[in-house]
């Protein structure tokens, strides 16, 4: 089953098993972001901003140091608690040998704490860099950070017993718009996928197609 099919199945399961009021609030978030008029994400042709984040082992990773080795596929996801994110990362793991065969590296970034990043990486057996952006500074650099609205905070707290400030080890309810950027060795963003609909992600085959163009 492709990633697109898996995500659609997850969406249909959500619709089938979630109360209507929960569905309404989740789709409200997507709709408000889509209709906000905000152009999320840095654009193709722009220079990617360098950053340093720590990986799950607490070691610093610099984007530009990775670019010296080849192109980088930089993907931002919401966290290990998100089933859509987990399906995405598992699908990317499956094509990691092909990504690396094309001379590229895959880096995934989320706002979750280093401890949660480590446990998530171990659980999913991810063999690429998974970095912690706990305060959302890098997501803000890439213009994809947003404050989780109060109605979603309430939903996550009461229904899912989920407190993002604890999970992310920060004092703000923040998340990134799920995004994937292809960055060439010179630091130029060659393609950008930014979608406020968190139930959709860039397909692995599209990543490989974009890398072959570099």
């Amino acid at each position: 089953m492709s990633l697109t099919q898996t995500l659609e199945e997850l969406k249909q399961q959500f619709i089938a098993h979630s109360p209507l009021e929960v569905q309404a609030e989740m789709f409200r978030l997507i709709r408000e972001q889509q209709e906000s008029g905000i152009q999320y994400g840095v654009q193709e042709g722009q220079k990617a901003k360098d950053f340093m984040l720590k990986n799950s082992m607490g070691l610093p990773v610099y984007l530009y140091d990775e670019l010296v080795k080849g192109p980088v596929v930089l993907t931002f996801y919401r966290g290990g608690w998100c089933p859509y994110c987990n399906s995405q990362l598992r699908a990317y793991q499956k094509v990691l040998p092909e990504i690396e065969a094309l001379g590229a590296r895959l880096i995934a970034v989320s706002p979750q704490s280093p401890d949660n990043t480590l446990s998530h990486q171990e659980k999913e057996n991810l063999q690429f860099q998974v970095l912690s952006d706990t305060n959302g500074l890098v997501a803000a650099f890439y213009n994809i950070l947003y404050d989780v609205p109060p109605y979603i905070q309430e939903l996550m707290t009461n229904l899912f017993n989920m407190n993002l400030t604890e999970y992310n080890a920060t004092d703000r309810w923040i998340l990134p718009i799920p995004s994937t950027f292809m960055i060439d060795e010179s630091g130029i963003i060659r393609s950008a996928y930014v979608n406020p609909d968190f139930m959709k992600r860039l397909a692995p085959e599209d990543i490989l197609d974009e890398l072959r163009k570099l």
Side-chain angles (χ1 to χ4, degrees):
M1 186 181 297
S2 71
L3 175 59
T4 300
Q5 291 170 322
T6 299
L7 295 177
E8 181 59 29
E9 186 173 279
L10 283 172
K11 179 179 179 178
Q12 293 308 317
Q13 290 174 0
F14 168 71
I15 291 172
H17 300 294
S18 300
L20 289 176
E21 58 270 23
V22 173
Q23 297 180 45
E25 296 293 59
M26 287 298 186
F27 290 121
R28 173 187 170 189
L29 172 65
I30 294 171
R31 186 178 65 255
E32 286 180 347
Q33 290 180 336
Q34 289 175 332
E35 297 175 355
S36 67
I38 298 172
Q39 188 175 38
Y40 292 106
V42 289
Q43 306 303 304
E44 296 177 15
Q46 291 185 322
K47 187 85 169 179
K49 292 189 177 182
D50 193 16
F51 60 79
M52 185 285 288
L53 291 175
K54 292 186 177 179
N55 64 17
S56 58
M57 303 304 294
L59 300 175
V61 175
Y62 293 84
L63 173 64
Y64 278 24
D65 285 351
E66 297 302 307
L67 288 173
V68 170
K69 307 168 190 174
V72 166
V73 180
L74 178 64
T75 191
F76 291 84
Y77 69 104
R78 306 193 310 159
W81 50 270
C82 169
Y84 304 93
C85 298
N86 292 334
S87 293
Q88 173 196 15
L89 297 185
R90 284 195 295 268
Y92 288 6
Q93 174 63 41
K94 287 181 181 178
V95 298
L96 184 62
E98 294 173 77
I99 290 174
E100 293 178 340
L102 290 166
R105 278 152 182 76
L106 175 61
I107 297 176
V109 178
S110 85
Q112 62 193 8
S113 69
D115 285 345
N116 283 318
T117 295
L118 177 60
S119 60
H120 182 218
Q121 187 167 20
E122 292 173 331
K123 174 186 172 185
E124 301 294 348
N125 294 315
L126 304 177
Q127 296 169 354
F128 47 85
Q129 295 278 17
V130 184
L131 310 182
S132 294
D133 183 25
T134 51
N135 292 308
L137 296 179
V138 175
F141 282 165
Y142 284 77
N143 194 31
I144 55 172
L145 186 71
Y146 70 93
D147 290 294
V148 178
Y151 64 88
I152 295 293
Q153 293 185 32
E154 183 178 350
L155 190 68
M156 295 183 72
T157 301
N158 296 335
L159 192 65
F160 303 116
N161 195 30
M162 179 77 186
N163 186 330
L164 277 185
T165 60
E166 294 178 0
Y167 193 85
N168 295 344
T170 187
D171 59 357
R172 294 173 59 201
W173 281 72
I174 53 173
L175 286 174
I177 300 284
S179 310
T180 300
F181 302 95
M182 307 286 182
I183 308 171
D184 68 17
E185 297 97 320
S186 63
I188 300 300
I189 295 173
R190 297 290 293 273
S191 72
Y193 176 91
V194 183
N195 194 339
D197 186 349
F198 61 83
M199 298 179 181
K200 297 180 180 179
R201 307 298 165 97
L202 183 65
E205 53 268 28
D206 292 334
I207 289 177
L208 298 176
D209 286 344
E210 289 296 334
L211 286 175
R212 293 187 185 103
K213 297 175 185 177
L214 298 183

